[in-house]
Amino acid sequence: PPPSPPDADSDDPGSDIPLLEYSVKSRRGKELFVAHIPFDMTEAELLALCSQYGDVMSASIMHHELGVSKCFAYVKFKLQSAADNALLRLNHYEVSIIMRYAYTYTYAE
């Protein structure tokens, strides 16, 4: 089984060693990128799945212009600890789902 997620809502990425492998390309955050979801999964089903691990602010499955799923989504949690918990528990859920922290763009001022 995966290691237990942190109990506190911490913004210190160095405090959670099991999470380091998921934050190599993007900073640890409350929004997760979810890849390889089943093409027939609904946003309600994704929301129900992720809500088991904490309060979900939004769950958005991306669709083509014709309404067909692109088989990836973004899920935003209220707390960092909930995002961490979902990532640790749901990554490779049902063999295919892959989760990572969502990439956030930073613009130079």
Side-chain angles (χ1 to χ4, degrees):
S4 297
D7 291 329
D9 188 39
S10 171
D11 286 326
D12 178 14
S15 67
D16 304 304
I17 301 303
L19 297 170
L20 289 179
E21 70 178 283
Y22 301 109
S23 59
V24 172
K25 291 185 179 179
S26 59
R27 189 169 175 264
R28 188 172 147 221
K30 297 176 186 176
E31 186 173 26
L32 299 179
F33 170 74
V34 186
H36 302 277
I37 61 172
F39 77 94
D40 58 348
M41 180 178 248
T42 66
E43 288 183 355
E45 291 170 330
L46 180 62
L47 180 66
L49 177 67
C50 294
S51 293
Q52 298 175 61
Y53 302 97
D55 291 335
V56 175
M57 305 301 290
S58 64
S60 302
I61 296 175
M62 301 298 108
H63 293 90
H64 292 283
E65 290 177 12
L66 297 175
V68 178
S69 174
K70 291 184 177 182
C71 297
F72 72 92
Y74 292 93
V75 178
K76 187 169 187 176
F77 289 86
K78 184 175 181 180
L79 297 175
Q80 178 69 58
S81 57
D84 295 343
N85 195 3
L87 189 145
L88 287 171
R89 308 268 184 223
L90 292 176
N91 195 31
H92 297 292
Y93 174 79
E94 290 187 3
V95 180
S96 63
I97 291 179
I98 296 174
M99 296 185 109
R100 294 287 184 259
Y101 293 107
Y103 182 79
T104 53
Y105 292 96
T106 54
Y107 299 97
E109 294 183 22

